[in-house]
Amino acid sequence: MPETVQEKKKVIFSAIQPSGTITLGNYLGALRNWVKLQDDYNCIFAVADLHAITVRQDPKSFRQNILNAYALFLACGIDPEKSPFFIQSHVHTHAELAWILNCYTQFGELSRMTQFKDKSQKHADNVNAGLFTYPSLMAADILLYQADVVPVGVDQKQHLELTRNIAERFNGIYGNTFKIPEPYISQVGAKIMSLQDPAKKMSKSDENSNSWVAILDKPDVIMKKFKRAVTDSEAVVKVGEGKDGINNLIGIMSAVTGKTADEIAIEFEGKGYGDFKTAVGEAVVEEVRPIQERFNDYINNKDYLVEQYHKSAEFALKLSQRTLSKVMKKIGYVIP
Ligand code: TRP
């Protein structure tokens, strides 16, 4: 398995929930950067399926969503030979350390998590204990691998901050046990906004499906969504104040083609928004086309997927067991 993990590169850990839809925003804002990080860091990635049941899941679509997320990540360029990429529930140390960390996390701290407050309002009929202790499981994910850095979006920054506090607290009681992880702030990560309300982040939970583009959307659907994108009445393809819609489209075009906003403005000088929207749609279709092709190959090759997630889980189990044993010894457990 990955030789590279033995070297002195820094360790990155990150995970995503198997939500069913990976949007262009997820891809350009996060996923594509993970792919690039694989050479410079020892990356360890997971599909966070334990986290996912804090909200109710339909068993059939849940199983499919986990596999789809796995295949899509491979299709985007995550290489499990380089970066172990496993399914969280396959590695039992996560649930075990999460229980332990729960006992070193305060009720008050968890009560202050904004995601808990938001989600318990949204799912008022199912405010379960898992939703409340979700951040301790996330802390376990990260601390098990002694991660140096964790790429997270703004919505997860508070959880990472809590992870650091839990680790420092544990180290304070028992001596140095956990590496204190730093957030990874990407220099290139584009923030992709809704196509219908560009003041909001692109999100697949938005009821208006025209506001987001999924990586697996068909080309004609992608084109339609871009053609309907909200713009302004100025009709000049140039970054400007009060032009959130166009700024967002320029941002997407720039992220996909590598051209700067200025180069794009020059290229589309004198052209209308209609032409520009079509061009952005086409550029996105070209970007996702090879990903979609690879996704179809992977999802139809179950044996390959199974082989990859098995190997990665085995590797992750060994590595994480070192940390878990250390933790259990320090607490005073009788080692079996
Ligand atoms: N909670 C994260 C999210 O919903 C996913 C996640 C689980 C994660 N464990 C993690 C992210 C560890 C970073 C590190 O997006």
Side-chain angles (χ1 to χ4, degrees), residues 212-257:
W212 47 266
V213 170
I215 297 292
L216 295 177
D217 274 346
K218 298 222 157 59
D220 58 319
V221 174
I222 296 178
M223 291 306 294
K224 189 190 78 193
K225 287 180 178 175
F226 276 104
K227 282 183 186 156
R228 292 193 183 159
V230 166
T231 48
D232 54 78
S233 54
E234 200 189 80
V236 181
V237 180
K238 200 170 175 202
V239 172
E241 220 171 292
K243 290 164 64 85
D244 290 351
I246 279 298
N247 295 347
N248 186 37
L249 292 177
I250 291 176
I252 293 173
M253 189 67 156
S254 167
V256 168
T257 61

Side-chain angles (χ1 to χ4, degrees), residues 13-17 48 51 88 115 119 134 137-138 141-142 150-152 155-156 159:
F13 181 90
S14 202
I16 48 114
Q17 290 203 46
H51 280 96
Q88 187 187 28
Q115 186 173 307
K119 283 202 179 169
Y134 174 120
L137 176 59
M138 183 161 157
D141 296 343
I142 297 166
V150 182
V152 280
D155 59 325
Q156 297 297 323
H159 292 160

Side-chain angles (χ1 to χ4, degrees), residues 68-294:
N68 281 358
Y70 197 87
L72 187 56
F73 271 56
L74 295 192
C76 287
I78 299 294
D79 176 3
E81 299 285 344
K82 243 193 261 174
S83 323
F85 177 41
F86 62 92
I87 296 174
Q88 187 187 28
S89 63
H90 294 181
V91 184
H92 56 76
T93 43
H94 289 248
E96 292 167 15
L97 184 62
W99 169 255
I100 292 176
L101 295 183
N102 267 332
C103 303
Y104 295 83
T105 308
Q106 297 304 306
F107 184 88
E109 289 178 301
L110 291 171
S111 308
R112 284 193 291 277
M113 294 294 113
T114 53
Q115 186 173 307
F116 171 69
K117 289 190 242 175
D118 291 349
K119 283 202 179 169
S120 47
Q121 266 181 8
K122 235 167 112 187
H123 305 275
D125 56 338
N126 184 21
V127 185
N128 59 72
L131 193 64
F132 189 61
T133 61
Y134 174 120
S136 324
L137 176 59
M138 183 161 157
D141 296 343
I142 297 166
L143 300 177
L144 276 173
Y145 301 98
Q146 306 288 348
D148 296 284
V149 248
V150 182
V152 280
V154 274
D155 59 325
Q156 297 297 323
K157 263 189 94 177
Q158 199 185 24
H159 292 160
L160 185 60
E161 204 45 55
L162 178 62
T163 300
R164 291 165 55 89
N165 291 338
I166 297 170
E168 274 164 5
R169 180 172 307 143
F170 195 96
N171 288 353
I173 303 172
Y174 299 104
N176 204 11
T177 311
F178 296 123
K179 174 90 48 77
I180 309 298
E182 302 283 338
Y184 178 86
I185 313 293
S186 165
Q187 294 88 340
V188 283
K191 190 171 179 201
I192 308 299
M193 312 305 281
S194 155
L195 298 182
Q196 291 298 315
D197 177 3
K200 288 196 309 202
K201 205 175 138 188
M202 180 181 282
S203 162
K204 56 123 206 323
S205 48
D206 199 317
E207 275 165 31
N208 183 350
S209 66
N210 282 323
S211 70
W212 47 266
V213 170
I215 297 292
L216 295 177
D217 274 346
K218 298 222 157 59
D220 58 319
V221 174
I222 296 178
M223 291 306 294
K224 189 190 78 193
K225 287 180 178 175
F226 276 104
K227 282 183 186 156
R228 292 193 183 159
V230 166
T231 48
D232 54 78
S233 54
E234 200 189 80
V236 181
V237 180
K238 200 170 175 202
V239 172
E241 220 171 292
K243 290 164 64 85
D244 290 351
I246 279 298
N247 295 347
N248 186 37
L249 292 177
I250 291 176
I252 293 173
M253 189 67 156
S254 167
V256 168
T257 61
K259 291 176 189 163
T260 65
D262 287 342
E263 286 166 350
I264 293 166
I266 292 167
E267 190 180 334
F268 287 89
E269 215 177 312
K271 297 214 177 106
Y273 284 167
D275 287 346
F276 182 55
K277 288 192 215 176
T278 303
V280 180
E282 283 168 352
V284 169
V285 167
E286 284 318 308
E287 174 82 11
V288 300
R289 188 193 306 280
I291 298 176
Q292 296 190 354
E293 285 170 5
R294 287 193 294 264

